[in-house]
Amino acid sequence: MTNVLDSFRLDGKVALVTGATYGIGMAIAEALGQAGAKIAFNARHAEKVAAAEAHYREAGLEAKGFVCDVTDEAQVVELLNNIEHALGSKPDILVNNAGIIKRIPMCEMSVDEWRQVVDTDLTAPFIVSKACIPSMVEKGHGKIINICSMMSELGRETVSAYAAAKGGLKMLTRNICSEFGEANIQCNGIGPGYIATPQTAPLRERQADGSRHPFDAFIVSKTPAARWGTPEDLMGPAVFLASDASNFVNGHVLYVDGGILAYIGKQPQ
Ligand code: NAP
Ligand code: GCO
């Protein structure tokens, strides 16, 4: 009888985490590395990739960084070949984490700005998944984790492109599940709530008078946990969905949001 905790180990696996030079991606890459995976990661800026490699090395993790823009299919194909050359295998685990947001009222947003968000948050997960799946099928196993969002379920002012992309990413997750479940590929999503990273820093910065940003107080009042999430809150869920412990979980979006999607919000005092 094997110990159930062994099913959460990732020893011998190669994991690609896109956009893991900081923020949520870095925390997820660390978690998968701590569980035994060899880590490959990418981002667009060489100096941040180098700094992140040093960070992982200091954390005692085997991680290889590459400069690659996930919206560029040719760069992604080259990335996969570079990973195979450097780590001995194309990814067994893919975390489509790289993402951007532009907070612009819809009718003030240019089509180019819309396209930048959708290209990064929806088309790029398609591009990277399409590049990874054939070798996963050949191996007879694969794990794909798409980093969705609460905006996969809810809208709010100024994030039309982002919400549309993240809603689409939820459905891409379900479609990859549908198309490749028989090949023993599990594709699931993680839907973080409001997490304290550089992406949400503008929503938390102190006001000129030293008071909290109104959105900061709003989110805390809408979250049963009464706090912002941290990238570390996503580490355990990522290991679960990347491991054999979730082999019969497919097409699911696991919301890691402190309960915000379940809660109407704190009543006015
Ligand atoms: P972040 O702090 O802005 O980090 C984004 C990462 O993606 C960086 O490493 C960035 O590096 C990389 N990146 C951006 N565009 C890229 C591209 N075209 N090619 C390659 N790398 C790219 O964001 P985060 O808060 O950690 O969010 C990570 C993911 O979680 C995103 O998909 C986001 O939508 C999602 N999410 C975030 C929250 C939250 O509250 N923070 C909640 C739900 C979902 P470079 O810019 O150097 O390339
Ligand atoms: C925003 C935030 C959110 C978070 C996240 C919530 O402007 O509303 O950036 O979009 O990033 O996606 O799950």
Side-chain angles (χ1 to χ4, degrees), residues 186-264:
Q186 290 85 46
C187 181
N188 292 288
I190 288 177
Y194 279 84
I195 312 295
T197 71
Q199 190 243 53
T200 55
L203 305 175
R204 291 177 283 107
E205 63 196 8
R206 286 282 170 185
Q207 305 300 279
D209 64 2
S211 63
R212 290 173 70 172
H213 191 295
F215 197 89
D216 179 357
F218 169 68
I219 287 304
V220 171
S221 76
K222 290 282 284 181
T223 307
R227 66 173 175 89
W228 284 72
T230 66
E232 290 70 26
D233 287 320
L234 299 162
M235 294 173 81
V239 169
F240 167 62
L241 290 177
S243 71
D244 289 340
S246 60
N247 282 351
F248 204 55
V249 178
N250 212 348
H252 181 72
V253 178
L254 177 57
Y255 286 97
V256 184
D257 65 356
I260 198 171
L261 280 176
Y263 185 39
I264 196 170

Side-chain angles (χ1 to χ4, degrees), residues 42-76:
N42 72 292
R44 291 167 296 180
H45 302 101
E47 70 283 359
K48 292 180 189 173
V49 170
E53 275 193 334
H55 169 87
Y56 292 117
R57 193 163 43 247
E58 284 157 23
L61 300 173
E62 182 178 353
K64 179 70 183 138
F66 302 88
V67 177
C68 170
D69 182 335
V70 290
T71 65
D72 182 322
E73 188 171 25
Q75 287 188 42
V76 169

Side-chain angles (χ1 to χ4, degrees), residues 25-44:
M26 176 169 272
I28 288 179
E30 282 189 23
L32 303 187
Q34 288 170 14
K38 287 191 279 187
I39 301 302
F41 69 96
N42 72 292
R44 291 167 296 180

Side-chain angles (χ1 to χ4, degrees), residues 147-160:
I147 307 302
C148 296
S149 162
M150 283 180 38
M151 280 38 224
S152 298
E153 303 293 344
L154 301 172
R156 86 173 185 86
E157 301 83 355
T158 77
V159 296
S160 58

